[in-house]
Amino acid sequence: MSIWVVAGVALFLLAAAMLALWLLLRARNMQNWIGSYLFRSRPPKVEGPIHVMFCFVDHFEPMWHGADLATQRSRVDRWCSEYRELASRHHDADGRPPQHTFFYPEEEYAEEHLDKIAALCADGYGEIEIHLHHDNDTESNFRETISRFCRILHERHGALPVDPASGEVRFGFIHGNWCLDNSRPDGRWCGINNELTLLRELGCYADFTLPSAPSDTQTSTINSIYYATDDPLAPKSHDRGELVRTGGRASGDLMIVQGPLRLNWRERRMGVVPRIEASDVRRGCPPTPARVDAWVDTGIHVQGRPEWVFVKVHTHGTQEQDMDTLLGSAADAMHSHLEQAYNDGSRHVLHYVSSREVYNIIKAAEAGKRGNPNDYRDFVLPPPPSSWAGARMRKVA
């Protein structure tokens, strides 16, 4: 066989391998972010303890799959009962139990459900923020929808903080179907190209939607905390932005707080292809110690403050197939591992935080603050009214 034949076969095999790799990447929409992952830089070495801020955000949807009222009540009641039991068995370095942030969908509003969740939060187990599913929306309808829901959550349920500087009700946001700023290529499940601007004007302090992989809405920016500037004429303006850094200042339209996104080589498909680690917690992706370690190792931080690491994970908490994982032994073991491996006081210090507290600690880092992040949980935005009421009731009791 001539050398030219051998070379031709080798080139053919190489081309076939490259095509197979490209098709594999496209099948999971990895072409959007794999370059950022492969050419990422490692977090810098840290002298002294690493403070780990652990934040669990929930796309909390009691009406999932068109459930009847009895099923909705069962879902909410189970959370209000079993989460208290789970969280009360754990605490961080500051003596606080795990904090669960319930991003509640506007389109699923039911007063009785929010009353129960607000009572759970008032007892010190979390906070309520805003989630929204919408499609083919308009700017005027979006403004009215968010403004109305902010008033309802704040005035009826004691949720959402008030900015002491402006007197404005502020909120954190997760976009339904991952489609922040009309980021789905076909334009479904949003419809608004200036959504970042609208959120800023309506009082949103930060977005917590990402990561969204393997969805095609995933940004090319990964494992980052950054400010995105809106292009009102184009979708997905948050694909890139300016990193939040110490000594910096707010810029653009909206802060984007991402959770860990990486490849999981421990759990490979067919023993070869790595799985996508997108910080999603459910039955099919239980929060194993190896995953917890990977989340912390990702090292998401404000530039210039690598000793403050932010771990934001997410779930859809009202789906029955996942509730045993989220409220049972798997979540219990996750918190035990966090407290055993990342709370020794010398190498690591653990802090359970809500999304609002994440924002406050980020802003403190941006302002150049150092030391114990626990001192900055309320740095810019105070707790919502339900927390004050709960604290008063606990003090009286």
Side-chain angles (χ1 to χ4, degrees), residues 23-235:
L23 292 175
L24 176 64
L25 293 175
R26 292 283 299 180
R28 303 290 282 170
N29 294 304
M30 293 171 65
Q31 76 281 358
N32 291 344
W33 58 272
I34 194 64
S36 299
Y37 178 75
L38 293 176
F39 297 103
R40 70 197 185 282
S41 58
R42 292 291 304 161
K45 295 282 187 180
V46 172
E47 296 294 333
I50 295 175
H51 292 265
V52 177
M53 269 62 67
F54 185 79
C55 178
F56 209 146
V57 303
D58 191 341
H59 306 213
F60 193 79
E61 303 166 4
M63 299 181 189
W64 178 70
H65 267 199
D68 59 23
L69 184 57
T71 301
Q72 296 171 35
R73 286 171 173 163
S74 174
R75 292 168 172 172
V76 174
D77 289 346
R78 183 175 179 188
W79 265 93
C80 291
S81 172
E82 296 185 24
Y83 190 72
R84 276 187 174 89
E85 296 176 8
L86 169 68
S88 65
R89 295 193 292 270
H90 297 277
H91 65 273
D92 63 8
D94 315 307
R96 300 187 74 216
Q99 298 295 297
H100 203 81
T101 305
F102 298 88
F103 282 79
Y104 197 97
E106 182 278 337
E107 71 280 0
E108 295 191 14
Y109 175 71
E111 186 171 13
E112 66 173 277
H113 301 339
L114 262 302
D115 281 342
K116 293 173 181 177
I117 296 300
L120 176 66
C121 294
D123 285 344
Y125 295 109
E127 295 182 12
I128 297 169
E129 299 290 354
I130 291 181
H131 188 32
L132 180 70
H133 301 84
H134 61 152
D135 190 19
N136 195 30
D137 208 349
T138 65
E139 178 176 330
S140 60
N141 183 70
F142 183 80
R143 286 184 181 276
E144 172 57 28
T145 298
I146 296 296
S147 297
R148 181 180 62 249
F149 199 39
C150 281
R151 291 194 300 271
I152 289 173
L153 289 178
H154 185 69
E155 295 171 7
R156 295 187 190 176
H157 303 287
L160 308 185
V162 173
D163 190 325
S166 66
E168 178 185 32
V169 174
R170 304 292 300 278
F171 63 95
F173 187 70
I174 287 179
H175 199 294
N177 306 111
W178 316 109
C179 297
L180 179 66
D181 201 45
N182 214 20
S183 55
R184 183 164 153 152
D186 64 4
R188 291 297 310 275
W189 310 120
C190 183
I192 305 174
N193 284 338
N194 63 334
E195 193 167 40
L196 304 186
T197 301
L198 296 177
L199 285 167
R200 173 180 55 78
E201 292 176 353
L202 291 165
C204 181
Y205 60 78
D207 177 84
F208 295 83
T209 303
L210 297 165
S212 62
S215 168
D216 51 8
T217 61
Q218 174 62 46
T219 55
S220 60
T221 300
I222 62 172
N223 299 327
S224 300
I225 301 168
Y226 62 103
Y227 291 111
T229 299
D230 204 354
D231 178 348
L233 301 180

